[in-house]
Amino acid sequence: GGASRRSQQQCAWRPVAAVRAACAWVHADHYETAKQALVVLCVVHVVVCALFGTRVSDSSLEPILLGLLLAHWAELASRVVGLGWGQFWHGSQQPFEPSISRFDTALLLVASLGAVTDAIVRDVDGNASPGTLYRFLLTLPVLRLVGAVPASRRVMFGLARVLPVFSSLIGVLVVIYYVFACAG
């Protein structure tokens, strides 16, 4: 009775342990491969987003974008499983810094919120009406490249430091564009 129940419990946990071991192996020993997989995923995401407005119908691209969003979640979940939640969220001994892990999580949450909102909002005929905001939110996971590619991280942090200096110039340009947009 007790021995067979214990062996059944161990059998039930073996797949979970195997998944955790595989994720930990990838993120501990092969983190460069994991980063390259993330870069490939983001490049595919960029290509699919670039196809909007071309001869390819938008209705056929939206399921692909949703599938890519699920793939991003799967990659993030593999990091959580492989590293453990504490190491993923707070740890410093990982290929992705904790701030990048938080950034990735926030991006995916916002993109998923956009996908859920679009699924809820329907037009008069009951069809989904993908808008510009929805498509913009589905392109957010591409920003995960900032964490995976060190050169892009340096560029983004450099821009973040420079933008406040040029805020008055940006304000003047916005006013000029607004005046010309109103004047036609």
Side-chain angles (χ1 to χ4, degrees), residues 6-171:
R6 194 175 314 127
S7 66
Q8 287 175 347
Q9 288 174 346
Q10 288 174 347
C11 287
W13 287 102
R14 281 188 189 148
V16 174
V19 168
R20 183 174 175 94
C23 293
W25 176 76
V26 166
H27 292 291
D29 299 330
H30 296 85
Y31 60 88
E32 286 300 322
T33 306
K35 280 186 176 183
Q36 290 170 355
L38 177 60
V39 169
V40 168
L41 182 62
C42 289
V43 167
V44 170
H45 203 123
V46 167
V47 169
V48 171
C49 289
L51 290 175
F52 275 107
T54 61
R55 292 184 185 188
V56 179
S57 74
D58 291 353
S59 61
S60 65
L61 292 175
E62 288 166 18
I64 296 171
L65 277 179
L66 289 175
L68 287 170
L69 184 62
L70 289 175
H72 281 283
W73 274 113
E75 186 275 332
L76 195 71
S78 75
R79 271 199 271 163
V80 171
V81 169
L83 297 170
W85 177 256
Q87 184 71 13
F88 170 80
W89 198 253
H90 301 290
S92 60
Q93 303 296 323
Q94 61 176 342
F96 298 92
E97 292 84 17
S99 59
I100 297 300
S101 295
R102 293 181 198 132
F103 179 70
D104 287 353
T105 305
L107 282 176
L108 291 179
L109 283 173
V110 171
S112 298
L113 180 67
V116 168
T117 303
D118 188 69
I120 293 171
V121 177
R122 303 286 175 175
D123 64 7
V124 178
D125 298 327
N127 298 322
S129 56
T132 306
L133 179 62
Y134 167 67
R135 290 184 184 144
F136 171 73
L137 291 177
L138 280 181
T139 60
L140 283 179
V142 171
L143 294 176
R144 296 181 71 203
L145 280 173
V146 172
V149 180
S152 67
R153 192 176 328 147
R154 285 192 298 270
V155 169
M156 292 302 286
F157 287 138
L159 283 174
R161 287 187 185 148
V162 170
L163 281 179
V165 175
F166 290 105
S167 61
S168 58
L169 178 64
I170 292 170

